[in-house]
Amino acid sequence: MKKLAEKLYTHGDLSDEELVRLIETDDPSAAQALVTYADAVRRVHYGDKVFLRGLIEISSYCRNDCLYCGIRRSNLTAERYRLTPDEILDCCGIGYELGFRTFVLQGGEDMSFTDDVTVPLIAEIRRRYPDCAITLSLGERSRESYRLMKEAGADRYLLRHEAASHELYSRLHPDKMTLESRKRCLYDLRELGYQTGAGFMVGAPFQTTEHIIADLRFMQELRPHMIGIGPFVPHHCTPFADMKGGTLGLTLRLLGIIRLMFPKVLLPATTALGTIAPNGRELGLKTGCNVVMPNLSPSAVRKKYDLYDNKLSVGAEAAEGLEALRRQISAAGYTAVSERGDCVI
């Protein structure tokens, strides 16, 4: 298996059969080889830099009913909130003073955030902070909406495809949501000039290795600038409450594989990774990750953005724990940097 990791490092790709073997292996020498090669590749393109993004979770309202998500429409126990444009701008101001040069506006598909709201907000962030990148993660919208937000000053858009298999996508989402629509959004974003991010859950219910390979092949076709993967973590108020979560080992193997298949991609060490293991983020950084997104949201609402159980929102996950985060990143052998950190593709 170690030889497969070396082949992936050398050639940047493997056959489907070889990927199955590498994804499913429990060989510790292969895992270590993936760590070594993934770290070497990220250092070629990004050195030891870890880019910090200020995450602002703008709304926990969502029109969708995804079976795995804690803020799904059918969860009547969820505490809902919606930040005002002024509150979002206040978060940006605090983040800028802390040194953040990327703001990530993320939320459920809240229909209150129409173009009439989002476009002036984006334009105002761009006016106040011309040296910052603006990243959006607001779900599926029309091409026209994406165009208007891009023209207002948005730079990046994160939209996990979740599953490139029609069969698996349909088992994770309600009938009205389709993989065709999700892919259409991603290609629209790419064509409109966004730095585009895709990704999927690791260990999602009903996911097989073949599904994961379909995800990797789709991303080779899409050529995203950012790839976000993290372990599936169940939420107690969803139909998947009793499902087994994604594992640390498989997530780390896939992070290493993704870094070797997509050498220049921006790859976050996600909050979910830190949720399932105390040192999960550090292990992710050592396996090719180069982005971390501390939470800039007002402390009063952080626990309400409850995507999965035990989601971290304090300590080094939070903007006010920035120095602790910098120390953790330094201890792992990397340097947290305050810059836009654009993809080098």
Side-chain angles (χ1 to χ4, degrees):
M1 289 303 155
K2 184 178 178 181
K3 289 187 179 298
L4 285 179
E6 183 178 358
K7 181 178 179 181
L8 183 57
Y9 171 59
T10 304
H11 295 90
D13 203 358
L14 295 172
S15 69
D16 286 2
E17 180 183 352
E18 290 170 326
L19 280 171
V20 168
R21 292 166 59 199
L22 190 56
I23 290 168
E24 295 183 348
T25 186
D26 57 2
D27 179 359
S29 68
Q32 185 54 53
L34 282 172
V35 170
T36 300
Y37 293 138
D39 184 60
V41 168
R42 66 82 56 84
R43 288 180 186 273
V44 167
H45 298 290
Y46 293 103
D48 69 350
K49 292 181 178 179
V50 174
F51 303 112
L52 302 181
R53 318 298 203 199
L55 177 63
I56 306 170
E57 294 163 335
I58 67 173
S59 176
S60 66
Y61 286 91
C62 190
R63 65 176 173 173
N64 291 329
D65 217 15
C66 304
L67 279 71
Y68 49 83
C69 183
I71 63 170
R72 66 195 304 260
R73 188 183 68 246
S74 292
N75 182 6
L76 302 182
T77 67
E79 293 187 76
R80 308 292 180 176
Y81 73 91
R82 179 181 296 123
L83 299 184
T84 67
D86 283 343
E87 288 173 324
I88 294 167
L89 289 167
D90 287 344
C91 292
C92 292
I94 292 168
Y96 194 85
E97 291 300 314
L98 288 170
F100 291 102
R101 293 299 179 264
T102 292
F103 304 123
V104 182
L105 276 56
Q106 176 177 289
E109 292 195 16
D110 182 350
M111 293 300 94
S112 292
F113 280 94
T114 63
D115 293 339
D116 288 343
V117 176
T118 58
V119 171
L121 172 61
I122 293 163
E124 182 61 17
I125 296 172
R126 171 58 60 228
R127 185 189 70 80
R128 294 189 188 187
Y129 309 107
D131 55 332
C132 293
I134 302 172
T135 301
L136 306 176
S137 183
L138 304 176
E140 295 187 15
R141 300 172 78 100
S142 69
R143 183 185 178 99
E144 177 66 6
S145 178
Y146 291 147
R147 183 187 68 79
L148 291 171
M149 294 190 294
K150 183 73 172 66
E151 290 180 354
D155 301 286
R156 306 173 184 145
Y157 205 102
L158 308 177
L159 181 65
R160 284 187 175 185
H161 66 276
E162 301 297 1
S165 155
H166 289 271
E167 176 263 333
L168 180 57
Y169 192 93
S170 68
R171 299 186 78 173
L172 301 178
H173 300 90
D175 290 343
K176 73 169 191 173
M177 296 181 67
T178 67
L179 180 58
E180 289 84 359
S181 177
R182 185 59 55 101
K183 284 186 174 182
R184 185 268 306 165
C185 289
L186 284 164
Y187 282 111
D188 282 348
L189 291 163
R190 198 76 166 77
E191 290 168 8
L192 288 166
Y194 282 91
Q195 292 181 42
T196 304
F200 58 94
M201 293 181 295
V202 177
F206 317 114
Q207 185 186 67
T208 66
T209 303
E210 287 68 27
H211 291 141
I212 293 171
I213 291 172
D215 291 321
L216 296 173
R217 298 308 185 203
F218 167 65
M219 291 190 297
Q220 284 181 315
E221 177 185 308
L222 178 67
R223 296 182 298 110
H225 303 82
M226 303 163 283
I227 295 176
I229 71 165
F232 163 66
V233 183
H235 188 284
H236 63 284
C237 290
T238 69
F240 294 159
D242 297 325
M243 293 287 194
K244 182 181 177 182
T247 66
L248 178 66
L250 178 57
T251 305
L252 292 174
R253 286 198 299 281
L254 286 170
L255 286 171
I257 288 169
I258 286 170
R259 173 54 70 199
L260 297 180
M261 291 181 71
F262 305 89
K264 298 180 181 180
V265 81
L266 293 165
L267 189 62
T270 63
T271 301
L273 191 57
T275 297
I276 67 166
N279 62 340
R281 177 175 43 225
E282 291 84 345
L283 292 173
L285 293 174
K286 291 180 178 180
T287 317
C289 292
N290 62 339
V291 173
V292 175
M293 296 194 287
N295 201 322
L296 270 174
S297 307
S299 57
V301 304
R302 286 181 197 161
K303 290 192 177 297
K304 297 178 183 179
Y305 199 76
D306 189 26
L307 303 181
Y308 49 82
D309 285 349
N310 304 311
K311 178 173 172 281
L312 301 179
S313 62
V314 296
E317 295 296 327
E320 60 269 21
L322 194 55
E323 287 311 308
L325 175 60
R326 290 182 184 277
R327 288 194 297 272
Q328 286 184 8
I329 292 171
S330 178
Y334 305 96
T335 302
V337 295
S338 295
E339 55 186 76
R340 283 175 53 111
D342 290 296
C343 179
V344 297
I345 291 176

